[in-house]
Amino acid sequence: DTEVTQTPKHLVMGMTNKKSLKCEQHMGHRAMYWYKQKAKKPPELMFVYSYEKLSINESVPSRFSPECPNSSLLNLHLHALQPEDSALYLCASSQDSGTGGRYYGYTFGSGTRLTVV
Amino acid sequence: ELKVEQNPLFLSMQEGKNYTIYCNYSTTSDRLYWYRQDPGKSLESLFVLLSNGAVKQEGRLMASLDTKARLSTLHITAAVHDLSATYFCAVDDSNYQLIWGAGTKLIIKP
C-alpha cells in the first residue's frame, strides 16, 4: 500500500461546528504532516509529527488541533473556524522527518476540500 | 532564509514544442523535489533529485539538479495536452522542511 488516504474529500462546516479531518497511511512512515493550500498557491506547512510526537507547529491558530493516535493515523480537529480557513487540506507522510524523508520524498493524500460558511 | 523561485509562473505552449521550467534556490541544499498538481487535486510526486548532477526522466519530462548553481530544471519534450497542470519545485531546508516555489501553471494547447 503506497497511498495516503484522507477523509472526507469534501467538507462544508459552519463557524460554530466541530469537525475532524482524518489521514491514514500504511507505508510504515514515521513522519506525518498537515498542509494548508489556498487556490493558486503552494502548500503551507501547518504541523509535523515525528514518531507520533508533535515536532513542528507553524504558529497555527488554536482552532486547528492535530492529533496522532498511532503511527498510521493523523487527525486534524477543527473548531470555530473562519471563512478564510476555507482551503484544501493535505496530509503527507515520509520515512521520517529527517534523512529518510529527504531521500525518499513525501507522499501526499488526495486532500480535503474544506469550505467554512 | 531559504527561498525558492520558479519561472516562468505561467506558460502557454503548443503541443509538440519543447520548453523548460526553472527553479532557483537561495542557500545550499542538495535535495530537490518536483511535483505536479491538477486543478482541485493533490500533489503527485514526479522527481526526487538527491545529488549534484542528478538527472531523471519519465516520459516527456526530464529533471536535473545543479547544486553549485542552485538550479534545477524541468524540461518538457514534445508537449502533449495531458501535461497541462501546475508544477511545483520544493527544496529541503536545514530543518528538513519543504520550501516551495510559487508554481508554474502550464497550459498546452492542442
Side-chain angles (χ1 to χ4, degrees):
Chain A
D1 188 350
T2 58
E3 288 187 342
V4 174
T5 303
Q6 287 186 245
T7 56
K9 293 192 183 305
H10 300 275
L11 178 62
V12 179
M13 60 185 292
M15 289 188 284
T16 59
N17 291 160
K18 286 185 179 181
K19 296 287 185 182
S20 295
L21 309 185
K22 296 185 185 301
C23 175
E24 188 169 4
Q25 58 87 16
H26 295 288
M27 294 177 281
H29 288 175
R30 302 312 301 268
M32 297 184 76
Y33 310 78
W34 280 115
Y35 283 87
K36 173 183 177 181
Q37 187 180 25
K38 302 284 274 186
K40 300 181 182 181
K41 297 291 186 183
E44 300 172 39
L45 182 65
M46 300 175 72
F47 302 105
V48 180
Y49 273 83
S50 180
Y51 292 87
E52 300 158 51
K53 294 189 187 301
L54 182 65
S55 61
I56 294 174
N57 176 342
E58 290 289 346
S59 302
V60 178
S62 59
R63 56 186 184 269
F64 295 91
S65 175
E67 178 195 19
C68 189
N70 60 56
S71 61
S72 300
L73 293 174
L74 186 65
N75 298 321
L76 186 63
H77 302 296
L78 314 172
H79 174 55
L81 294 193
Q82 304 296 311
E84 59 265 28
D85 296 322
S86 298
L88 180 67
Y89 287 83
L90 294 164
C91 175
S93 70
S94 66
Q95 292 277 351
D96 57 49
S97 61
T99 304
R102 302 175 75 211
Y103 276 94
Y104 301 106
Y106 305 78
T107 302
F108 283 83
S110 57
T112 294
R113 174 71 60 189
L114 174 66
T115 303
V116 181
V117 297
Chain B
E1 180 188 350
L2 178 58
K3 294 184 178 180
V4 179
E5 291 188 356
Q6 272 183 252
N7 67 83
L9 298 182
F10 179 80
L11 178 56
S12 178
M13 55 194 290
Q14 295 292 129
E15 277 192 329
K17 299 292 186 181
N18 303 334
Y19 211 81
T20 302
I21 300 170
Y22 297 88
C23 178
N24 290 89
Y25 52 98
S26 60
T27 63
T28 302
S29 178
D30 55 1
R31 302 289 186 267
L32 190 137
Y33 310 87
W34 283 98
Y35 288 88
R36 168 182 172 151
Q37 188 172 38
D38 292 299
K41 304 293 186 182
S42 187
L43 293 150
E44 175 190 355
S45 179
L46 295 176
F47 301 108
V48 179
L49 301 171
L50 301 178
S51 61
N52 187 40
V55 177
K56 291 193 175 181
Q57 183 163 5
E58 181 73 33
R60 300 175 187 275
L61 300 177
M62 183 174 70
S64 65
L65 178 63
D66 181 343
T67 58
K68 294 179 181 177
R70 301 175 186 169
L71 171 68
S72 179
T73 60
L74 180 65
H75 187 72
I76 303 151
T77 301
V80 293
H81 178 67
D82 287 351
L83 290 177
S84 296
T86 297
Y87 293 84
F88 290 99
C89 65
V91 177
D92 264 317
D93 72 359
S94 56
N95 292 319
Y96 306 110
Q97 296 184 53
L98 286 177
I99 309 299
W100 295 81
T104 297
K105 184 172 183 178
L106 176 63
I107 295 176
I108 299 170
K109 300 176 181 178

